[in-house]
Amino acid sequence: MRSESFDFLQKYLNTHSPTGFEKEGQKVWLEYIKPYIDEYFVDTYGTVVGVVNPKAEYKVVIEAHADEISWFVNYITKEGYIYLRRNGGSDALIAPSKRVLIHTAKGPVRAVFGWPAIHVRKTEQDKAPTIETIFLDCGASSAKEVEEMGIHVGSVVTFEDDLMELNGKYLVGRALDNRVGGFMIAEVARRLKEEGNTLPFGLYIVNAVQEEIGLRGAEMIAHRIMPNVAIVTDVTHDTQSPMYEKKTSGDIHCGKGPVITYGPAVQNNLRELIIETAQQKEIPFQRAAATRATGTDTDAFAYAGAGVASALISLPLKYMHTTVETVSHDDVQHVIDLIYEALLRIEDGHDFRYFK
């Protein structure tokens, strides 16, 4: 990875962009891709779209989502402790002892998820932390003091964990799900520009909001763009670490390449184009099966309007929805390569119908 790209990745991942409040991360992303696009637009809820060849009738989307799981302040006790609600799939089990930022109009306020010490608990009666038992301590001793810090019901809370590297092979941090996807599609746009590849269609590089609460950003933008094709990238579970059941979760490895999904929302001919691209360009890949929905923005694009030929290229990731989400450097590059090469195989007016 070139140093400028890594600097962008680090800045982008370290910028807090909770679901519904993605603005700051979206600004970072847009600033990076501006040199590689012809124009851009931002929708009402903050999804950002960079466009190459905007006058073309045939439209192809490459897409990732920008939001990260977080929490909302829900109740402040008279002693100044703070109880929360989830914003997306936040996990109470990992919360105790974590550091957080409470985002306020006055700026971020640091706090911690407190937890009673092992010395004073009856450990034989310990139960897993739940949303009802976890709480924040921001150093205040009363509700009034909390409120004077700018904190109120509805203030959004994110974990305070930055990007790091592991053994020279892995990237580790919060919000790789799925801002690493935003990084990868931005790198595709950069390569197309710098390598002088002119596509015969309009390319829409979409960084969508609010995926974590039901694919909402993708749903809105799919109806606005009305593309012909959508290639979505998101993360999927590496299943090699302990406590995974491969019979139900599949056999997916970090470091063995992008994951191409089979499922009703995935258009078969587009998927095969991607697989053939991987085989011809010797890009390693893995396969996965979805039951009904993929659970990603692929579903929102596939079923928009009269239907959009859509496919999913996933990045294997360890420890999803924790602060130590982990991906392979090699896999990141291979996803970029695969999306880039697949775009070069799509023709103007490409007809993906199964038969005519």
Side-chain angles (χ1 to χ4, degrees), residues 3-40:
S3 60
E4 298 91 339
S5 297
F6 185 78
D7 289 345
F8 161 60
L9 174 62
Q10 190 166 37
K11 182 178 181 181
Y12 183 45
L13 284 170
N14 290 346
T15 301
H16 295 257
S17 300
T19 300
F21 302 83
E22 299 93 346
K23 179 176 70 173
E24 295 307 317
Q26 294 291 67
K27 288 179 179 178
V28 171
W29 187 82
L30 177 58
E31 191 61 29
Y32 183 75
I33 69 162
K34 276 182 178 178
Y36 314 124
I37 58 177
D38 296 324
E39 61 183 48
Y40 71 90

Side-chain angles (χ1 to χ4, degrees), residues 11-12 62 66 70 77 88 117 139 193 202 272 282 290 323:
K11 182 178 181 181
Y12 183 45
I62 56 175
S70 56
T77 73
K193 180 73 170 184
E272 290 308 303
E282 298 183 343
T323 59

Side-chain angles (χ1 to χ4, degrees), residues 256-289:
K256 289 194 174 182
V259 179
I260 299 173
T261 297
Y262 290 71
V266 176
Q267 212 280 342
N268 296 334
N269 290 335
L270 177 58
R271 185 198 59 242
E272 290 308 303
L273 179 148
I274 293 168
I275 289 174
E276 290 169 6
T277 300
Q279 291 170 335
Q280 290 181 9
K281 295 297 180 178
E282 298 183 343
I283 300 169
F285 71 94
Q286 305 172 76
R287 304 176 199 251

